[in-house]
């Protein structure tokens, strides 16, 4: 291997660079170091695939040991897809890091046939029988679709860092992504409508479980392309629960057969639906599985439970949530406290979709001891009342090569400013959903957030308002290309108006939709964004107060 500061062989070959992703390896450049003198510093990120975001105590302790050995800081990065990333690994150390992860029972990489899967579902809480049904289905799908720790593919792909032809038998394009969401009406923490395929589980009038099948969701897009769009999934039909796994197999087979894998921008199920239509997709799926017509009536309202704090299951055992701001689990705090609690108590762990960490299966004495161990290192369960801004962000610079603006490092300042305004308005106890993305691709789904902030050029952001991820509702573009220091001042009039005219239990997103969204809501948000709505919204706020505008 050449000097780690030189560009690895894989970066000199577009084909080999694409192949790295088959092993869960992503080439990075330390962009902070780029600004200084000297050669560029090339590093690698390894993305671990955790089935349903779950870890037992032994695998967690093995994971933090690998991070301590091979990453510069020992930190972990928790993703919104409930996986873990290790950033900043020296390319020369990648084979050893992969071997260490394999010994720890941890998997990375994807399906060698060309699909990278991500399965999301409810975070199971002890004693809840309905959640266990949904979580059980999600775990079976992970067992079928996810890579296993004993896979030799990541090590073979790692050889591409020295020899671009080492994995010549793999396709020359990056793996296609296929996401699956499993949800219940009362728990849509898996973001059912933002996935390629969604399975909404429930019982019919006879008490028999079934799955409503949704397809074609995706909350990412490419700015500047009219044929790129974000959209919620559409309902295709209904199958018995026993046929749910076969339905996933059918959708995967359809994607393999009908989607062009070399078109990186459009190799998703949502574009196939847009081009061929729902009738064609239903007909093709029925070649594989008996996809019945969905029952009459509207889709049930979906709820996304707040997993922060401490929850108690029906069996009396507890789950303790540990706050991980921005998804960066620092080795010192709260990492050291978590490590001590896991070593002493051996709980299971679960990653949440909002980038926090749950310690599960704790009885009352273990819960008390876990809280004391965490408090010793300044870590505590997040308090929804004390932390009204519920924020999710991507990693951004210096690690992500696509990042246009700061995200993770800008989150704390933006959150603090919003909390000050909320305290001023008297809404400090209200929950506010904020998603901050460093580029328009929007890995953290900012386009469906109550407040979505998207980096579009260096030092400039677009702001979207009024989305609802749980209901698959897209937001409006409120202001475009705004400087970071101007974001909260631009939102302040709206937040003040929300305090004055919003209902007592009305969230900010619902308030915005009721007050300012006057045109039929678009099902898609394309890469060619409409004109921002800020001037009209501010004009409405400055009108004479309408005392009859607030809901009962």
């Amino acid at each position: 291997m050449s000097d780690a500061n030189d560009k690895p062989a894989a970066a000199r070959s577009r084909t080999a660079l694409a192949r790295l992703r088959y092993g869960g390896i992503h080439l990075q450049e330390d962009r902070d170091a780029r600004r200084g003198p000297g050669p560029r510093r090339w590093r690698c990120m390894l993305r671990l695939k955790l089935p349903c975001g779950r870890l037992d105590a032994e695998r967690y302790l093995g994971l933090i040991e690998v991070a301590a050995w091979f990453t510069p800081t020992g930190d972990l990065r928790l993703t919104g897809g409930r996986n873990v990333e290790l950033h900043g690994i020296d390319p020369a150390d990648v084979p050893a890091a992969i071997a260490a992860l394999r010994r720890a029972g941890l998997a990375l990489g994807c399906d060698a046939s060309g699909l990278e899967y991500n399965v999301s579902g409810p975070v199971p809480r002890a004693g809840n029988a309905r959640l266990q049904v949904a979580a059980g289905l999600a775990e079976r799908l992970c067992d079928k679709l996810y890579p296993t720790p004993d896979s030799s593919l990541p090590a073979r792909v790692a050889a591409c860092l020295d020899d671009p032809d080492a994995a010549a038998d793999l396709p020359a394009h990056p793996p296609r992504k296929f996401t699956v969401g499993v949800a219940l009406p009362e728990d849509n923490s898996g973001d059912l409508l933002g996935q390629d395929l969604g399975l909404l589980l429930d019982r019919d009038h006879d008490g028999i479980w079934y799955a409503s099948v949704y397809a074609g969701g995706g909350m990412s897009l490419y700015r500047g392309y009219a044929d790129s769009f974000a959209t919620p999934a559409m309902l295709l039909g209904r199958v018995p629960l026993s046929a749910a796994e076969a339905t996933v197999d059918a959708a995967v087979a359809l994607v393999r057969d009908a989607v062009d894998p070399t078109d990186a921008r459009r190799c998703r199920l949502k574009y196939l639906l847009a081009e061929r239509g729902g009738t064609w997709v239903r007909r093709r799926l029925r070649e594989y599985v008996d996809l019945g017509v969905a029952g009459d009536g509207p889709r049930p309202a979906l709820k996304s439970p707040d997993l922060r704090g401490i929850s108690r299951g029906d069996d009396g055992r507890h789950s303790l949530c540990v706050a991980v701001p921005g998804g960066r689990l620092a080795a010192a705090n709260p990492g050291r406290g978590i490590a001590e609690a896991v070593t002493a108590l051996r709980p299971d762990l679960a990653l949440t979709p909002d980038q926090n960490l749950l310690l599960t299966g704790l009885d009352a004495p273990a819960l008390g001891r876990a809280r004391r161990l965490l408090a010793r290192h300044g870590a505590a369960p997040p308090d929804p009342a004390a932390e009204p801004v519920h924020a999710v962000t991507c990693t951004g610079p210096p690690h992500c090569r696509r990042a246009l603006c700061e995200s993770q490092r800008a989150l704390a300042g933006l959150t603090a400013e919003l909390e000050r305004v909320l305290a001023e308005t008297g809404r400090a106890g209200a929950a506010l959903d904020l998603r901050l993305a460093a580029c328009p691709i929007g890995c953290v789904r900012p386009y469906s957030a109550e407040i979505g902030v998207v980096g579009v050029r260096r030092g400039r952001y677009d702001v979207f308002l009024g989305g609802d991820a749980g209901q698959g509702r897209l937001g409006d573009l409120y202001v475009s290309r705004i400087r970071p220091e101007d974001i909260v001042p631009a939102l302040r009039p709206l937040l003040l108006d929300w305090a004055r005219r919003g209902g007592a239990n009305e969230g900010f997103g619902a308030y915005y939709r009721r007050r300012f969204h006057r045109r039929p809501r678009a099902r898609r948000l394309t890469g060619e964004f409409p004109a921002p709505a800020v001037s009209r919204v501010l004009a409405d706020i400055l009108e004479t107060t309408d005392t009859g505008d607030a809901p009962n």
Side-chain angles (χ1 to χ4, degrees):
M1 166 109 24
S2 59
D3 190 325
N5 287 337
D6 294 334
K7 196 172 188 179
R12 295 194 295 269
S13 166
R14 187 181 186 90
T15 298
L17 183 60
R19 287 172 176 153
L20 284 176
R21 289 178 53 183
Y22 285 87
I25 305 166
H26 297 252
L27 195 67
Q28 300 177 317
E29 180 192 354
D30 187 339
R31 293 168 63 183
D32 287 346
R34 183 200 299 179
R35 300 188 182 102
R40 293 184 175 183
R41 296 175 58 86
W42 295 96
R43 293 293 181 262
C44 289
M45 179 267 281
L46 302 183
R47 179 177 293 127
L48 280 67
K49 302 296 292 186
L50 303 183
C52 298
R54 298 187 66 106
L55 280 166
D56 58 28
E58 294 301 328
R59 286 192 298 156
Y60 178 78
L61 294 175
L63 172 59
I64 61 176
E65 184 177 355
V66 173
W69 273 103
F70 293 103
T71 66
T73 61
D75 296 348
L76 306 177
R77 165 74 187 175
L78 312 186
T79 74
R82 300 170 68 187
N83 296 311
V84 171
E85 295 173 350
L86 302 179
H87 288 270
I89 299 176
D90 192 306
D93 293 335
V94 168
I98 290 174
L101 291 169
R102 186 174 179 176
R103 289 193 297 271
L106 296 162
L108 68 162
C110 68
D111 183 353
S113 67
L115 283 174
E116 179 184 359
Y117 299 98
N118 202 77
V119 179
S120 61
V123 179
R125 270 86 78 197
N128 189 314
R130 284 176 59 87
L131 284 179
Q132 293 300 332
V133 171
L137 173 60
E139 289 171 2
R140 292 193 300 274
L141 292 172
C142 289
D143 291 341
K144 176 185 294 189
L145 303 175
Y146 273 34
T148 58
D150 60 359
S151 170
S152 62
L153 180 62
R156 185 159 58 93
V157 171
C160 285
L161 290 167
D162 276 326
D163 180 8
D165 298 323
D169 57 325
L170 293 175
H173 52 78
R176 292 165 288 176
K177 183 172 287 187
F178 191 91
T179 61
V180 182
V182 180
L184 297 166
E186 68 270 25
D187 191 324
N188 187 28
S189 52
D191 195 9
L192 170 92
L193 299 175
Q195 314 296 339
D196 287 299
L197 192 75
L199 301 171
L200 179 61
L201 308 187
D202 208 347
R203 290 178 181 267
D204 61 18
H205 295 298
D206 297 323
I208 299 174
W209 282 96
Y210 67 90
S212 296
V213 180
Y214 292 81
M219 294 298 173
S220 296
L221 54 78
Y222 289 85
R223 187 181 175 93
Y225 293 88
D227 62 347
S228 174
F229 56 82
T231 184
M234 63 176 291
L235 179 63
L236 289 184
R238 173 187 288 188
V239 296
L241 180 59
S242 58
E245 294 179 54
T247 303
V248 176
D249 293 340
V252 169
L254 179 60
V255 168
R256 284 193 174 125
D257 293 343
V259 173
D260 179 6
T262 63
D263 188 349
R265 273 199 309 113
R266 295 180 58 81
C267 57
R268 300 295 295 271
L269 185 55
K270 63 181 180 181
Y271 297 114
L272 184 63
L273 267 165
E275 293 168 0
R276 303 294 186 92
T279 301
W280 182 89
V281 171
R282 286 189 190 95
R283 185 172 66 251
R284 288 296 305 272
L285 286 179
R286 288 189 177 117
E287 296 175 7
Y288 303 92
V289 66
D290 183 14
L291 181 66
V293 178
D296 296 333
R299 168 172 53 82
L302 302 176
K303 300 179 181 178
S304 299
D306 191 345
L307 300 173
R308 296 178 293 173
I310 299 171
S311 57
R312 183 176 184 274
D314 297 339
D315 63 353
R317 302 181 77 83
H318 300 81
S319 295
L320 172 64
C321 182
V322 182
V324 184
R328 178 176 172 267
L329 181 53
N333 175 26
R336 190 172 293 118
I338 296 173
E340 289 188 9
V342 171
T343 302
L345 304 172
R346 287 297 193 272
D348 288 332
L349 299 97
L351 279 62
T352 70
D354 54 0
Q355 300 176 313
N356 289 328
L357 188 67
L358 288 179
L359 308 182
T360 66
L362 301 170
D363 58 22
L367 175 64
R369 187 177 179 190
R371 296 187 68 179
R372 291 191 295 273
L373 289 171
L374 292 169
R376 185 184 301 169
H377 297 280
D383 182 359
E387 300 178 9
V389 179
H390 198 180
V392 179
T393 183
C394 62
T395 184
H399 301 300
C400 180
R401 300 173 68 200
R402 294 183 179 272
L404 302 175
C405 298
E406 292 289 349
S407 56
Q408 182 173 276
R409 295 189 293 200
L411 183 67
L414 180 59
T415 300
E417 288 186 59
L418 283 172
E419 289 177 349
R420 282 195 291 270
V421 175
L422 290 175
E424 177 186 345
T425 64
R427 289 265 184 173
L432 194 62
D433 175 32
L434 168 69
R435 292 178 180 259
L436 175 57
C439 78
I441 294 176
C443 296
V444 293
R445 302 186 175 106
Y447 306 114
S448 59
E450 286 187 324
I451 300 177
V453 181
V454 182
V456 293
R457 53 188 282 188
R458 186 172 180 178
R460 299 285 177 165
Y461 297 83
D462 285 356
V463 179
F464 293 81
L465 299 180
D468 187 332
Q471 301 298 325
R473 188 176 289 114
L474 297 168
D476 292 334
L477 179 59
Y478 173 66
V479 63
S480 183
R481 297 184 180 181
I482 191 172
R483 294 178 299 179
E485 61 269 23
D486 296 330
I487 293 175
V488 175
L491 293 174
R492 188 173 180 275
L494 271 178
L495 295 172
L496 293 173
D497 192 68
W498 175 39
R500 185 173 70 251
R501 299 186 183 185
N505 298 313
E506 186 178 32
F508 179 74
Y511 147 82
Y512 177 87
R513 293 189 297 274
R514 175 179 59 82
R515 286 273 287 129
F516 303 113
H517 188 83
R518 294 175 180 170
R519 65 181 183 276
R521 182 163 291 277
R523 180 171 175 81
R524 299 175 187 169
L525 176 67
T526 71
E528 292 186 351
F529 296 147
V534 61
S535 57
R536 173 180 55 77
V537 170
L538 289 178
D540 287 347
I541 292 174
L542 296 175
E543 287 178 355
T544 304
T545 300
D546 179 1
T547 56
D549 196 32
N552 294 328

